Amino acid sequence: MNLKNVHVQILVLLGCLVGVVSCGKLHSNIRQPASSLEEASLELPTTYEPQPFAEVEAVESAEVVVGSETPSESEVVPKPEVTNPEVDSKNDMVGPGTLKPTVYYFVIIDEDKNTCPSESKQTLHGAGGKSLLSVCPKTAQACGLQGSCGVIQKGVTHTFNIIGRFEGQDRYFEIEEDGCRFGYGVRSSCLDPFYTLAADLEIYKPGEVIFVPAVVGLQLPDGSKHNGYFVIRDKGRGVKGLGRFDFFSGFYSWYDPKNPFKKLGLGDIKTNIPYFRVGGETAKKVLLNRAFPQLPPSLSSK
């Protein structure tokens, strides 16, 4: 055999060996689909490659089936015609945009301690104008402003969630103990404390995921650390425009020093911080981890 042929055969053999090693690396990097909530843990991106931020375009999020409206008089959520902007395939993020925040919460008012003259009380109305409960004017105002509330009278706590405003009158339904105990957002989705946003639904859509880097690592009341991801589950009367979000803080009011959002200034609309709209696989993982449109097991079981 001549020496030139030997060299050729050796080079071919080495090429095959390199090919096998490369194929092995490719195979080892294939990720299997998550089969449980624990396996779907989020891997937060550490770098961002900003894409053009569309003013009225919605990032495609996960396909989700949302329950029907709980009350018959609930308003229909608008479904604007939108197109999907180009999403960074590396981290599924579009942005940054500038966020203008406020905070809302589930207010609980003890009228056994803070009562008012019976002649000044106002009626909370249900579907069809049905009378539910007579409350003090400040209580009625707080329930309408926050959208959900608890009212304590004669040692009994009555919890209400707003349906909407009809003929100039706010109307409510009573929240069941085994339901969404922090209140309901749009399309019967449960309000998820510290992970829910109310937004302008002419720009955003229910189930869209928003990432706020400034919130990453924020310690929550239960001792856990926030991952910076939020889900749009609600809307608000005064929540209008691009980047305008209302952060839901459960039972913690915006002036409570224990409210972690207060530390970041999220109760002040003048606090301008960056945010990203999230789509693709990252959005699907977020929705899975937060059990959208329900509550995560850790909250629903309490």
Side-chain angles (χ1 to χ4, degrees), residues 42 45 51 53 57-63 84-95 205 207-211 229-230 276-287:
L42 296 175
Q51 299 292 321
F53 206 79
E57 295 178 334
V59 178
E60 181 180 4
S61 58
E63 294 285 336
N84 295 322
E86 181 180 354
V87 177
D88 180 1
S89 60
K90 183 177 180 181
N91 55 30
D92 299 326
M93 294 193 182
V94 175
K205 61 183 180 180
E208 185 171 348
V209 176
I210 301 296
F211 178 63
Y229 289 93
F230 297 84
F276 294 79
R277 299 173 78 168
V278 184
E281 292 301 315
T282 303
K284 291 179 182 179
K285 287 183 180 181
V286 173
L287 295 177

Side-chain angles (χ1 to χ4, degrees), residues 1-230:
M1 181 180 295
N2 109 8
L3 188 59
K4 183 176 181 180
N5 288 337
V6 171
H7 288 162
V8 170
Q9 292 181 14
I10 291 173
L11 289 174
V12 171
L13 178 61
L14 288 173
C16 291
L17 289 172
V18 171
V20 170
V21 173
S22 298
C23 290
K25 287 183 178 179
L26 286 173
H27 178 74
S28 66
N29 286 332
I30 295 176
R31 298 189 62 181
Q32 299 300 319
S35 59
S36 69
L37 218 57
E38 288 73 25
E39 292 175 348
S41 59
L42 296 175
E43 296 177 1
L44 296 178
T46 56
T47 59
Y48 311 100
E49 298 177 8
Q51 299 292 321
F53 206 79
E55 288 197 357
V56 290
E57 295 178 334
V59 178
E60 181 180 4
S61 58
E63 294 285 336
V64 292
V65 178
V66 183
S68 61
E69 297 283 0
T70 298
S72 59
E73 293 181 299
S74 294
E75 298 171 290
V76 177
V77 177
K79 297 181 179 179
E81 293 293 327
V82 296
T83 56
N84 295 322
E86 181 180 354
V87 177
D88 180 1
S89 60
K90 183 177 180 181
N91 55 30
D92 299 326
M93 294 193 182
V94 175
T98 302
L99 185 155
K100 299 175 182 178
T102 48
V103 173
Y104 72 115
Y105 69 107
F106 191 110
V107 59
I108 298 179
I109 301 171
D110 189 343
E111 290 200 346
D112 288 342
K113 294 181 179 179
N114 300 288
T115 187
C116 62
S118 57
E119 62 271 16
S120 69
K121 289 192 174 182
Q122 301 175 3
T123 301
L124 295 184
H125 296 277
K130 176 184 177 182
S131 296
L132 299 178
L133 190 71
S134 293
V135 299
C136 295
K138 289 185 178 180
T139 300
Q141 182 181 22
C143 290
L145 179 63
Q146 303 305 328
S148 56
C149 63
V151 183
I152 301 174
Q153 289 185 354
K154 298 180 180 179
V156 178
T157 301
H158 308 267
T159 55
F160 301 99
N161 201 96
I162 197 165
I163 300 173
R165 193 170 182 82
F166 302 91
E167 300 178 353
Q169 183 183 83
D170 287 337
R171 294 186 183 173
Y172 302 84
F173 63 94
E174 292 201 52
I175 301 174
E176 298 178 4
E177 292 183 4
D178 58 350
C180 298
R181 62 193 188 92
F182 298 98
Y184 291 82
V186 294
R187 298 186 182 180
S188 299
S189 60
C190 298
L191 297 184
D192 182 10
F194 302 108
Y195 290 90
T196 289
L197 295 181
D200 186 341
L201 298 186
E202 291 186 0
I203 298 175
Y204 305 92
K205 61 183 180 180
E208 185 171 348
V209 176
I210 301 296
F211 178 63
V212 185
V215 181
V216 175
L218 180 68
Q219 185 166 332
L220 300 179
D222 65 357
S224 65
K225 297 293 181 66
H226 207 293
N227 57 22
Y229 289 93
F230 297 84

